[in-house]
Amino acid sequence: MTSNPEPKDKLQRAITVDDRPGQEVLESLRTNEVFVAIVGPAGAGSGTAAKILKTFLEESDFEVEIIKASTLIRAVAESAGHPVPPSGARKSIDNVKMMQDRGDELRKGELYSRPEDHSAIARLALKEIAVRRASLQGKAFSGDPVEPDGKHRAYIVDSLRHPAEVSILREVYQDAFTLLGIVCDPAKREKRIRENFFDRSQWSDQSVKDQVRDFLTRDEDAPEKHGQHVSDTFHESDFFVDNSVDAGEDLALTGMNDQLRRFVNLITQSKIVRPTISETAMHHARSAQMRSACLSRQVGSALVDANGNIVATGTNDVPQAGGGLYGEGFTVQLEGDQRCAFRDSVFCSSNREQNNIIEELVDEFPELIAGKDRSDVLKRIRGTRIGGLIEFSRAVHAEMDAILSASISGTSPRGCRMYVTTYPCHYCARHIVASGIDEVQFIEPYPKSKATELHSDSITTESNDWLPPSQNGTHVLFRPFVGVSPRLYRRVFLKDRSYKNKVTGSFEFGAPEWGRPTEVYKVSYSDMESKLALEVGDA
């Protein structure tokens, strides 16, 4: 007697079925690792922040490893025979500049027979993290993946200098990655660098001051794409702290401590933490920023009254007759939208007028290009402040839009505070002063524009003993924003667990059913599909 064959639609499959609930399967796949990178301008104290962060994470039962980018750069440069400062040598500005050169060369790749790769230093950090993980688990790293064993570990990268480095780490570690931005008063940073890199007798020399400023300029935004671009990197931060207070050698006394402890509480979700008024306001400013269709950049602002209420937001875009900007309102604007990006001829009016001025200048003074390549001269002139003229932009700036929006709705900006996603230009600064605003907070490690220089009589960056103009003070305060960035806001403040016993009402800080906001998994999503695939009955 012959047995009947299995029907063709019942195929044998080599999938191991996990009968546990989905939450339990996911929990077993979590790494319990977090990854923090630090960015800050030279002299801001990123190394100090890394040490404090390590202490606080260890208090939360994490094993912590600090990966110094400079150490990785040194090792690779030495192996390739490129000069590096002697080990243990006293810090000097020349030695630091030498290390800047080695980092730039790594990104450029040419001296290492590699293609240009602006993420190269972060890729060295990725390898070092894999090596450290293997070591912590009693293994030797051979190049093959080392699966995390589920212990709580934190890896701190000190520090990043290029936005591509942030991008690759964020792509790899996803929500488990956070970038910590360190702000510091520019005068404080210059003072620290002079005192750390030069003898006391040289501190007041003008030549030394000039060297320090040139060094800081290169750190901020090098002319080469493969150079350091700390300003652009800083804007990618998830959390900002201020290290303008000198604390000497005692790490327990820095102005960053309370801020860093709060940061650890947020990423570990070890207690209830709610947003500050400033964090909520900057979140609104970032939301407004995304409305802009400007070809140059997106900027957002939010105006907050004395009680912390959002009274208006603003973005940089083209105004339309009747009030407000294009892109606003409930009516759909198609052919009527006359922003630069949507009109028949798409171009930036500001750039075009700048170029017209430069062409006129060269035509009027032909000696500027005598014996030189015209296009090269035009490019160099564009690199001067002429190329930064904003007079001919069609866009209302975000700060002005917020002020006008408040006024149109019948709310006075007097006594309000403004939150802006970047440092205000001097055009906006004078409108901010004239409108009666008390304070401006911005995201920017290098305060730019001529705002404080042109309006030193009415704008200050010094918060000690500051009195708001609405309380008879004499200066509007401009200061950097600190706290949770708009990028991280939703992840850490959205309630993801129970806070109480539903029967008694007593406080119970529960565990999240579907994981913390900084989770990352040991396996790819295709592996997770296989492990979570549900089979019920005969398949």
Side-chain angles (χ1 to χ4, degrees), residues 277 281 302-313 399 402-403 405-407 409-420 431-441 466 468-471 475-478:
I277 289 173
L303 203 58
V304 178
D305 68 16
N307 295 317
N309 301 306
I310 306 291
V311 298
T313 61
E399 301 92 320
I403 292 170
S405 295
S407 301
S409 67
T411 303
S412 171
R414 187 184 298 276
C416 288
R417 299 184 183 198
M418 178 171 280
Y419 295 81
V420 196
H431 287 82
I432 288 167
V433 172
S435 67
I437 289 171
D438 278 345
E439 178 184 344
V440 176
Q441 292 190 28
W466 170 72
S470 62
Q471 299 176 26
H475 289 75
V476 180
L477 177 63
F478 277 41

